[in-house]
Amino acid sequence: MVFFRSVTALSRLRSRLVQQPCLSGSVRWLQIQSDSEIDLHAQLKEMIPEQQERLKKLKTEHGKTQLGNITVDMVLGGMRGMTGLLWETSLLDPDEGIRFRGLSIPECQKVLPAAIRGGEPLPEGLLWLLLTGKVPSKEQVNALSKELQSRAKVPDHVYKAIDALPTTAHPMTQFATGVMALQVQSEFQKAYDKGIHKSKYWEPTYEDSLNLIAQVPAVAAYVYRRIYKGGKVIPSNDSLDYGANFSHMLGFDDPKMQELMRLYVTIHSDHEGGNVSAHTAHLVASALSDPYLSFAAALNGLAGPLHGLANQEVLLWIKSVVEECGDNMTTEQLKEYVWKTLNSGKVVPGFGHGVLRKTDPRYTCQRKFALKHLPDDPLFQLVSKLYDVVPPILTELGKVKNPWPNVDAHSGVLLNHFGLTEARYFTVLFGVSRSIGVCSQLIWDRALGLPLERPKSVTMEWLENYCKKAA
């Protein structure tokens, strides 16, 4: 497959095509960037007119093509299964899992540049991939890393805004407050107030997005150090890449923790557009709200226990299992505790997904990381036992469409192993990562001129009358 297939002027983009075997044994064609093209903004400026024409042609020639039928169940069930959003940066298949611009997670781990040989992909490389559809070279990733470092200084008023909150405020509340405080520097707002032409909206959005992506690790680290480390802030280390520097500012300099942070930020970045945080950002941005306002809204959705806050709930639940059953629990004891949780009207956190119908590939790659770096960790071994115990029970329950573990089932145990034990903070890490996916799509929302999102809503009476007529 050629990513961004409509980018036909390959000689003009000076890309080279490389044959890359994928995991299934088939051949995938990857667009690999040449080393000399290190200006991400210039690449987008060259690509956007072609993508605008592609969208225009699609709308003109196929605008009336039906994509399926909407049922009452979909209307009443949170719009599950409705195809209703354009989201270029990733696509989620119920059986296969997430693909970033056509690349699965294992493929990303193979082809995206890493900090160390055989290591985890650098988040900067995924950002380049999401924005351009092409696999960057190490030189391009290094250049983007330096650019993000040059944009990373956070204004003092942001920290003062956070400091106005009590330290007991939830970390996500403090993080979202910091992002809102960043908004005063919005280039998009300034350009819009001056009367910028709509064809140029993407350019100040690009500036805001890269600034936001660059600055959120420092804001997130400040929140962590403020709440849990007595306010002792650790300065940025500009010699480190994005993920490693974030780990450093949090206070963790173990190379394995830095590798975990690179993996964590990469795999949590994007999960197509229908999840709460991504959809919220897209919806708010469709009103021409700038990336800061849009991303802050996304964070507030991410903070819900049915979305990003689940990673907090998983570790707390796992620790409650150990507290009640002991370190050497039997399989029967574990089954009993799972049933106890379900019978109390609660869910087993970390299992199930709104779209996926198999084990989340993000869970699988974290499991492989654990097998490589912490195979003897007791909580990891418990997670492995849960993989064998929980799905059969949920299947027996008969109400769960997907009994398999999702991304949240594993991440907290990995973080806990390396010393980041404060579960209430985990969703902030998710938020830092999600900035990469959300902002990449926001740039393309502006470039393609996507309209104000305004779906039609109906009342129960309207549905009842419609169904009577249709009967």
Side-chain angles (χ1 to χ4, degrees):
M1 180 185 292
V2 177
F3 303 117
F4 247 76
R5 285 170 288 185
S6 68
V7 184
T8 56
L10 296 181
S11 59
R12 178 161 54 85
L13 289 173
R14 301 185 301 284
S15 298
R16 54 190 174 89
L17 290 174
V18 175
Q19 204 175 44
Q20 171 71 32
C22 70
L23 299 183
S24 63
S26 61
V27 174
R28 184 173 300 282
W29 288 95
L30 304 180
Q31 255 188 25
I32 309 294
Q33 298 272 264
S34 64
D35 294 348
S36 60
E37 299 170 330
I38 61 173
D39 189 342
L40 181 58
H41 183 274
Q43 290 235 340
L44 285 174
K45 195 168 186 177
E46 200 167 15
M47 294 170 62
I48 282 171
E50 293 181 354
Q51 295 306 305
Q52 290 171 333
E53 285 301 312
R54 179 187 181 192
L55 182 66
K56 183 178 179 181
K57 181 180 180 182
L58 187 64
K59 189 173 182 178
T60 301
E61 296 181 2
H62 304 289
K64 303 302 180 184
T65 300
Q66 292 187 351
L67 293 175
N69 297 317
I70 295 173
T71 65
V72 173
D73 276 343
M74 291 176 175
V75 174
L76 300 179
M79 299 192 287
R80 294 286 174 97
M82 290 186 187
T83 300
L85 286 174
L86 180 63
W87 194 267
E88 288 287 275
T89 51
S90 65
L91 185 66
L92 180 61
D93 181 86
D95 295 315
E96 191 178 60
I98 191 66
R99 282 188 177 272
F100 303 117
R101 291 291 193 182
L103 281 173
S104 68
I105 287 176
E107 289 169 337
C108 283
Q109 290 176 298
K110 282 188 174 183
V111 302
L112 289 178
I116 59 177
R117 186 177 181 84
E120 301 299 339
L122 290 161
E124 298 93 317
L126 184 73
L127 173 58
W128 189 291
L129 175 67
L130 293 180
L131 279 171
T132 69
K134 294 183 284 292
V135 176
S137 67
K138 187 63 161 63
E139 289 73 16
Q140 288 167 324
V141 170
N142 289 343
L144 181 54
S145 186
K146 289 179 181 178
E147 180 176 359
L148 291 173
Q149 288 167 0
S150 72
R151 296 169 177 263
K153 183 173 174 54
V154 176
D156 288 341
H157 75 264
V158 174
Y159 300 127
K160 291 178 181 177
I162 296 172
D163 287 341
L165 296 170
T167 56
T168 54
H170 194 281
M172 283 296 284
T173 302
Q174 298 189 44
F175 185 41
T177 298
V179 171
M180 284 298 297
L182 285 171
Q183 191 274 340
V184 300
Q185 67 185 6
S186 173
E187 295 298 326
F188 181 83
Q189 184 187 47
K190 294 172 188 174
Y192 187 83
D193 289 345
K194 291 179 181 178
I196 186 175
H197 192 277
K198 62 183 180 181
S199 65
K200 301 291 185 182
Y201 282 171
W202 76 270
E203 297 204 46
T205 300
Y206 175 91
E207 297 300 322
D208 279 355
S209 294
L210 260 66
N211 287 337
L212 176 59
I213 291 168
Q215 292 169 351
V216 289
V219 175
Y222 183 83
V223 170
Y224 179 76
R225 303 295 301 183
R226 178 176 187 256
I227 298 174
Y228 302 110
K229 303 299 177 181
K232 296 178 181 178
V233 176
I234 298 174
S236 171
N237 182 343
D238 291 345
S239 69
L240 296 175
D241 58 83
Y242 189 88
N245 191 37
F246 184 27
S247 179
H248 165 73
M249 288 188 291
L250 289 169
F252 303 97
D253 289 316
D254 184 334
K256 291 181 180 179
M257 178 59 165
Q258 293 179 348
E259 274 288 273
L260 174 59
M261 197 58 65
R262 293 173 186 127
L263 176 65
Y264 186 102
V265 173
T266 297
I267 66 174
H268 285 79
S269 62
D270 206 25
H271 215 230
E272 80 166 19
N275 66 78
V276 171
S277 57
H279 186 194
T280 300
H282 176 83
L283 171 63
V284 174
S286 78
L288 293 186
S289 297
D290 61 61
Y292 299 97
L293 297 174
S294 304
F295 181 61
L299 289 178
N300 290 328
L302 191 68
L306 295 184
H307 191 19
L309 201 73
N311 58 12
Q312 164 187 311
E313 301 304 304
V314 170
L315 185 63
L316 294 176
W317 183 80
I318 287 175
K319 288 185 174 181
S320 74
V321 175
V322 175
E323 185 177 338
E324 179 160 324
C325 302
D327 293 328
N328 299 311
M329 72 202 70
T330 65
T331 299
E332 287 305 313
Q333 285 178 307
L334 193 52
K335 287 180 179 179
E336 288 176 8
Y337 194 86
V338 171
W339 275 114
K340 177 182 176 181
T341 299
L342 294 171
N343 291 332
S344 68
K346 300 177 183 178
V347 299
V348 178
F351 285 80
H353 192 273
V355 176
L356 286 169
R357 294 297 173 258
K358 289 188 176 180
T359 300
D360 193 332
R362 299 173 298 176
Y363 172 95
T364 304
C365 72
Q366 290 181 95
R367 174 171 172 77
K368 289 179 179 178
F369 183 94
L371 287 169
K372 180 179 179 181
H373 296 294
L374 48 132
D376 298 324
D377 182 275
L379 291 184
F380 165 59
Q381 293 177 348
L382 176 54
V383 167
S384 297
K385 287 183 181 178
L386 288 168
Y387 185 88
D388 295 328
V389 168
V390 176
I393 291 176
L394 294 180
T395 301
E396 181 182 341
L397 201 62
K399 299 179 182 179
V400 181
K401 293 181 180 179
N402 172 26
W404 304 105
N406 57 48
V407 65
D408 298 317
H410 220 307
S411 56
V413 167
L414 299 180
L415 296 165
N416 184 81
H417 175 83
F418 291 108
L420 209 170
T421 60
E422 298 86 0
R424 291 179 81 238
Y425 182 77
F426 289 170
T427 312
V428 176
L429 302 177
F430 200 155
V432 171
S433 175
R434 190 46 57 94
S435 69
I436 292 176
V438 162
C439 289
S440 295
Q441 182 59 40
L442 289 188
I443 293 167
W444 278 105
D445 286 352
R446 295 286 194 266
L448 297 175
L450 299 188
L452 176 71
E453 187 177 318
R454 179 58 171 88
K456 172 64 178 165
S457 65
V458 294
T459 64
M460 279 199 288
E461 182 182 15
W462 187 96
L463 285 172
E464 290 165 345
N465 291 336
Y466 181 89
C467 292
K468 287 177 183 177
K469 293 177 182 178

